[in-house]
Amino acid sequence: MSDNPLDTQFTARTKDYLVGIDSDGCAFDTMELKHKECFIPNIIKFFGLQACSKYGRECAEFVNLYSKERGINRFPALLSVLDYLAERPEVRRRGVKLPELKGLRDWVARETRLGNPTLIAEVEAHGDPDLTHCLRWSEQVNLDIDAMVHGVSPYPMVRESLEKLDPVADKIVCSATPNAALQKEWEEHDIAKYVEAICGQEAGGKKETLGQAAAYGYEKGKVLMMGDAPGDLKAARAVGALFYPINPGHEEESWERFHGEGCDRFLNGEYAGEYEAELIAEFQAHLPEDPTWPRVEG
């Protein structure tokens, strides 16, 4: 049996439209909570960043929340945080020894399903010390999220939008979050019933998940990805889907606009073109590509 949630939960087109929906920061206001309370403290603890914790926190928040890398998988995000720290003069002046994590870099470069199940298999097969340590970190993050994240309801108009789409669109959760956390959060607030599948990092990247679902035979212009990060836009474009942005810092307004305007345009065939381009331009202006702090080359 496949371990891909899409293969077991959603195996055929049942309606004319398909909508992929990201979860953290898009459907739920959980991004800041998860990263600031769960991911970042464990990055500092597990990777020896106590002597530069201020800068480690700043780099991690930039990568995961406030830059065009927002929303990427936790493992390449960790590497990006360390790369930014390596360029900071404050970190160099303190003589902080940053982990190279070559084992993780090699694994990220060759693996498409960047989740704990594939990492466990890799560790069991080869015993790489970097990957073993990163697995411990990732497992602790999951434990902390499970203990910390509860009672965080969906953004206003998420439920109403799912109800509006329900008669005409198949819907899948398409996220880089582990499946167990997604299932817990969507079921806790009784909105899992509105989606055909909940697909986290175990299913592969968002491009892979959305592309596999879109291949069930939807007509051009009838597949939409909703997300809060450039990676969501990239996944949509890679499979020929339309994109509706949930703008970081303006999530409630974005959902209100979708429910009152964007959804109807999508279903009426009036979304592609100038309307979508305006939304995407507005979305891209919210997230910078480069940080503002000083950087040292070499």
Side-chain angles (χ1 to χ4, degrees), residues 39 47 50 137 145 151 185-187 198 202 213 222 228 235 293 297:
F39 277 97
F47 299 101
Q50 289 84 349
W137 164 73
I145 288 173
E185 290 157 17
W186 282 69
E187 289 180 354
I198 295 178
E202 294 87 346
K222 293 188 175 182
D228 64 302
W293 58 71
E297 301 293 335

Side-chain angles (χ1 to χ4, degrees), residues 209-282:
T209 300
L210 187 63
Q212 184 180 340
Y216 288 140
Y218 301 91
E219 295 177 8
K220 181 176 176 58
K222 293 188 175 182
V223 179
L224 178 73
M225 177 68 191
M226 303 182 69
D228 64 302
D232 302 320
L233 170 59
K234 185 177 180 181
R237 287 294 180 259
V239 303
L242 300 168
F243 180 68
Y244 183 84
I246 303 299
N247 292 328
H250 302 273
E251 294 88 354
E252 292 189 23
E253 299 96 313
S254 297
W255 276 104
E256 288 173 3
R257 179 164 57 183
F258 179 75
H259 183 265
E261 177 182 281
C263 182
D264 292 327
R265 281 182 171 267
F266 171 57
L267 298 178
N268 293 333
E270 301 170 348
Y271 189 88
E274 184 178 351
Y275 180 76
E276 182 191 35
E278 289 176 358
L279 294 182
I280 291 175
E282 178 185 341

Side-chain angles (χ1 to χ4, degrees), residues 31 35 39-40 43 47 49 56-85 101 104-105 107-109 114 134 137 141 176 201 293:
M31 284 281 281
H35 283 285
F39 277 97
I40 295 173
I43 291 174
F47 299 101
L49 305 183
R57 178 173 293 277
E58 189 175 18
C59 289
E61 289 182 3
F62 178 76
V63 168
N64 291 294
L65 299 173
Y66 309 132
S67 77
K68 291 193 182 300
E69 290 188 273
R70 172 185 169 96
I72 65 172
N73 178 277
R74 66 179 63 182
F75 297 108
L78 171 62
L79 295 175
S80 187
V81 170
L82 294 173
D83 290 343
Y84 275 124
L85 279 171
L101 297 186
L104 181 64
R105 294 180 188 276
W107 181 69
V108 165
L114 298 175
C134 289
W137 164 73
V141 168
Q201 61 184 216
W293 58 71

